[in-house]
Amino acid sequence: MPLRLRSAKFSPSSASSQFPSCPPTRPQCITQSAQLSRDFSQTSCQQITLRRRKFYEWMNGPGRQLKEPLPDSTNYLGAYDKYGNLVRAGPGWQRNNAKKEVADNAPAMKAEEVTKDPEAEPEKAPEGQEDLDELELAIREGEAKEKDSKAASKAEKDDGKLPPETAEDLRPFPLNQYFRSQPVLSEDLREAIYKRVKKDGATVSLASVEFGVSNERVGAVVRLKQMEKEWIAQGKHLAIPYSKAVLDMLPTTPFIDPSQAANKGKRPITHEPINDLIVHPATRQQLFVPVSESRHFTRVDAGKAFDNALLPADARIPHPELIQAEREVSQGLSFDERLRLAEARLAKDQAEKKRLEDAKLAEIRAQKVVPKRRWDFVFKDVSVESVGRDGRDYKGVGWRYGVPHEDRKKGQVKIPTKVEA
Amino acid sequence: MVLRIRLARFGKKHAPFYNIVVAHARTARNSRPLEVLGTYDPKPQAPRPGDTHGRPWKDIKLDISRARYWVGVGAQPSDTAWRLLSMVGILEPQYRVGKIQGQVVRADSAAKSLVPEQTTRPAVEALDRVEEVKAVET
């Protein structure tokens, strides 16, 4: 007689009495499930357990807010108190109002995300690269400022406005308060990075400095964007609704278009610290090196103390050119002089990049391509002389004779270590 | 002794890789040859990144002038080696099938690259031709 037991244990009135403001939407769901259950059902637990009751209590109480995602905001558990109220919402804010507002000016909101307001002072723009929290705070402040000014322009909707997320609102796991949801690159920013690198021909490191995104991420963005464009050209279907839905739920770093007049004095929002020194495995050990007092022990020597092949930290950081620029400032060079030096460096970079690209193109052009039914046969002309006089040179063409395979040897890397972009 | 230009199979199981070699005809397949002319990787490679409508390709390295020399002094290519050498124009192709197929591929890609206006014109010409044929028949 499981049915009777169920009705005896579960009283919907007790569940709803705790939250008078939000009446339970599905108080009957458990009794319905009892009707649906069949004799042949293999479901192990058919009774109303404490956990089940608690779950439905939560679903009809505080959890009800999470069923419908809040538009244009993250929807993490950390943003709600235990009664299901949005903590950061003001007293005048109502969920339905916000939804209506978004529906009213949905296209306008998208445009405003990109165009930032002109009155923001340049010195207040985010520049803290050292501390991640500081950086995050700066981003949030920037957004808050934007939303504030927007609210000021629309005074009638002022009190119904939802403030931007604070650090506490970005905690998806309430029991792990140290985990924060990190912002991801917005679609506009990714497109801008791709354009800067591929169309304008900027180097990856230059784009990294300009957008405040790390070198690796810039490389990944360029490669994935290129794949996306190839797929579009091939007529493949992209999961755009999915990516849109995910991006709507995550905090994103917006793109500030400097070409627009509205963004005259603004600097791009820094996505992450870009000049962090990667810890080299050789430097993980503690080292005491006796050095005579008279010796001039520099960072180069410190690098060599760990490993003979290890470069100094100055050369291993992702952006040594930023240090160089700061050094020039501290040397007291004039602005024109610094500009000239920077341009010379840039020109050198571009020339090197062009040289590599030209070499690649020339190599492809030297190949003879014979198209056949299923694939192209690509002939590269080589020289038989490259095997050397004894015929055992490792640079020689073809599989080598009389030399054992080394692919089972220790330390052979078989997974690809780089990708062609 | 007959000299042959042939393939010597290296590589692993299910991952063939060939040296294109000049060797005496009666020596073992993978014995040390007179000369290694190049390599032939029969595994099709994926189109290069950035090559949107690219086709898969097979990588062949060949010392073309040296191959021409060995053919000139009477080395006899095996069927497969003949096929490869004929692709770079060292020999006349043994079987014409491949060439015709190549022409088909080229005609195909040319037809695809045409803009719609030009593609309609051959259709009109074909219609004209059909009418001519009809006129001849009557």
Side-chain angles (χ1 to χ4, degrees):
Chain A
M1 298 252 92
L3 233 171
R4 228 177 264 167
L5 272 176
R6 208 166 282 145
S7 51
K9 273 191 179 175
F10 179 65
S11 58
S13 59
S14 68
S16 57
S17 64
Q18 203 175 349
F19 309 103
S21 61
C22 25
T25 46
R26 40 167 139 172
Q28 305 94 351
C29 56
I30 287 195
T31 45
Q32 272 174 0
S33 75
Q35 286 159 4
L36 285 173
S37 69
R38 304 277 195 277
D39 292 339
F40 52 80
S41 171
Q42 295 292 309
T43 312
S44 57
C45 181
Q46 288 286 322
Q47 297 173 346
I48 299 175
T49 55
L50 182 67
R51 280 181 187 171
R52 238 170 233 229
R53 201 166 59 232
K54 283 257 172 79
F55 170 69
Y56 279 111
E57 267 175 23
W58 183 83
M59 275 288 281
N60 296 328
R64 224 157 58 96
Q65 303 292 327
L66 291 157
K67 244 176 79 183
E68 293 284 323
L70 212 58
D72 282 345
S73 163
T74 54
N75 284 280
Y76 295 131
L77 278 177
Y80 296 86
D81 64 5
K82 63 177 179 178
Y83 301 110
N85 301 317
L86 196 60
V87 177
R88 69 172 191 273
W93 182 78
Q94 271 182 358
R95 201 183 161 87
N96 296 338
N97 280 0
K99 233 180 267 173
K100 211 182 296 164
E101 215 169 88
V102 168
D104 282 348
N105 49 15
M109 285 284 276
K110 281 289 163 210
E112 274 159 354
E113 260 180 14
V114 180
T115 58
K116 292 284 171 172
D117 301 292
E119 56 258 49
E121 302 90 327
E123 67 264 20
K124 283 268 184 76
E127 47 205 16
Q129 272 197 12
E130 310 77 39
D131 191 10
L132 206 59
D133 284 345
E134 206 175 287
L135 203 153
E136 216 173 83
L137 200 71
I139 294 173
R140 300 286 149 229
E141 267 175 9
E143 277 176 10
K145 214 181 288 164
E146 171 202 5
K147 289 200 176 165
D148 281 352
S149 53
K150 243 191 278 170
S153 64
K154 300 174 203 161
E156 71 276 8
K157 289 178 184 175
D158 193 41
D159 52 334
K161 208 81 187 165
L162 190 66
E165 299 99 324
T166 57
E168 283 76 36
D169 297 325
L170 292 174
R171 292 195 311 226
F173 312 115
L175 294 182
N176 181 1
Q177 45 176 309
Y178 298 107
F179 184 91
R180 301 248 182 88
S181 175
Q182 302 293 331
V184 297
L185 300 176
S186 63
E187 192 58 50
D188 303 316
L189 185 53
R190 274 185 283 158
E191 187 61 40
I193 289 172
Y194 176 77
K195 269 192 189 149
R196 189 83 183 92
V197 174
K198 275 288 170 183
K199 301 268 157 58
D200 307 350
T203 56
V204 169
S205 62
L206 180 61
S208 162
V209 172
E210 282 178 357
F211 292 102
V213 178
S214 74
N215 275 339
E216 294 84 359
R217 206 176 300 282
V218 169
V221 163
V222 170
R223 184 163 167 69
L224 288 174
K225 265 282 167 193
Q226 178 159 350
M227 267 185 79
E228 184 186 319
K229 297 203 186 266
E230 270 175 33
W231 279 18
I232 289 169
Q234 287 168 2
K236 284 192 185 175
H237 287 286
L238 307 181
I240 289 167
Y242 173 74
S243 84
K244 252 190 183 169
V246 170
L247 280 178
D248 277 349
M249 289 189 281
L250 289 172
T252 53
T253 306
F255 170 53
I256 298 175
D257 192 357
S259 65
Q260 291 190 349
N263 301 326
K264 197 78 174 38
K266 289 204 88 175
R267 283 165 61 179
I269 289 177
T270 317
H271 180 69
E272 60 195 337
I274 56 170
N275 217 1
D276 278 353
L277 176 65
I278 296 159
V279 176
H280 193 275
T283 61
R284 287 206 191 118
Q285 57 174 330
Q286 195 179 18
L287 208 61
F288 293 98
V289 184
V291 174
S292 68
E293 222 170 285
S294 58
R295 189 176 154 198
H296 193 60
F297 195 82
T298 61
R299 288 187 186 183
V300 181
D301 300 318
K304 278 198 180 136
F306 281 110
D307 192 314
N308 260 335
L310 189 67
L311 294 171
D314 294 330
R316 279 190 297 124
I317 51 170
H319 293 287
E321 73 273 9
L322 291 182
I323 307 276
Q324 184 61 33
E326 279 302 314
R327 227 170 242 157
E328 280 163 9
V329 171
S330 66
Q331 277 169 9
L333 294 179
S334 69
F335 177 75
D336 291 337
E337 183 75 2
R338 278 186 287 137
L339 191 68
R340 199 179 55 73
L341 286 171
E343 273 172 356
R345 276 199 299 270
L346 188 67
K348 202 177 153 201
D349 278 357
Q350 300 280 21
E352 178 65 15
K353 197 181 171 195
K354 192 168 182 301
R355 193 184 63 78
L356 286 176
E357 272 172 9
D358 285 353
K360 209 184 255 177
L361 265 182
E363 194 189 335
I364 288 173
R365 245 183 243 130
Q367 295 165 357
K368 182 178 167 53
V369 181
V370 183
K372 291 283 170 176
R373 186 169 57 89
R374 292 178 69 185
W375 20 68
D376 296 342
F377 288 79
V378 178
F379 287 83
K380 289 170 196 160
D381 203 0
V382 292
S383 170
V384 293
E385 307 294 334
S386 57
V387 289
R389 284 180 67 197
D390 60 351
R392 291 171 68 92
D393 199 324
Y394 71 97
K395 276 183 274 185
V397 63
W399 208 277
R400 297 168 72 199
Y401 291 87
V403 180
H405 294 275
E406 297 201 331
D407 58 348
R408 296 290 177 91
K409 221 175 172 182
K410 209 173 164 188
Q412 293 285 320
V413 182
K414 290 185 190 163
I415 56 168
T417 50
K418 65 170 186 178
V419 283
E420 266 183 65
Chain B
M1 286 274 267
V2 176
L3 281 183
R4 285 192 81 90
I5 299 178
R6 65 187 184 192
L7 304 185
R9 191 194 193 275
F10 289 88
K12 293 291 165 70
K13 193 161 70 174
H14 305 308
F17 187 90
Y18 298 98
N19 273 3
I20 304 169
V21 298
V22 182
H24 289 298
R26 303 176 74 170
T27 53
R29 187 192 67 182
N30 280 12
S31 62
R32 191 186 286 265
L34 295 181
E35 202 163 87
V36 181
L37 289 180
T39 61
Y40 169 47
D41 188 356
K43 300 182 289 289
Q45 315 283 313
R48 292 185 189 83
D51 195 1
T52 307
H53 297 290
R55 306 175 72 214
W57 55 285
K58 291 192 174 187
D59 186 20
I60 301 163
K61 293 191 171 72
L62 184 67
D63 189 338
I64 292 169
S65 60
R66 201 69 191 151
R68 193 167 271 136
Y69 162 77
W70 281 114
V71 169
V73 296
Q76 297 175 5
S78 66
D79 281 359
T80 321
W82 195 300
R83 185 169 63 93
L84 294 179
L85 294 185
S86 67
M87 280 182 200
V88 280
I90 294 173
L91 291 160
E92 273 297 301
Q94 244 175 346
Y95 307 106
R96 309 285 295 175
V97 183
K99 193 176 177 187
I100 291 160
Q101 277 172 350
Q103 283 169 349
V104 169
V105 167
R106 248 168 281 149
D108 242 29
S109 57
K112 272 179 204 162
S113 65
L114 285 178
V115 283
E117 293 170 13
Q118 285 166 325
T119 50
T120 53
R121 204 171 296 152
V124 172
E125 281 169 13
L127 272 179
D128 289 346
R129 226 173 293 141
V130 168
E131 280 166 10
E132 276 171 25
V133 169
K134 274 180 189 167
V136 168
E137 277 171 5
T138 53

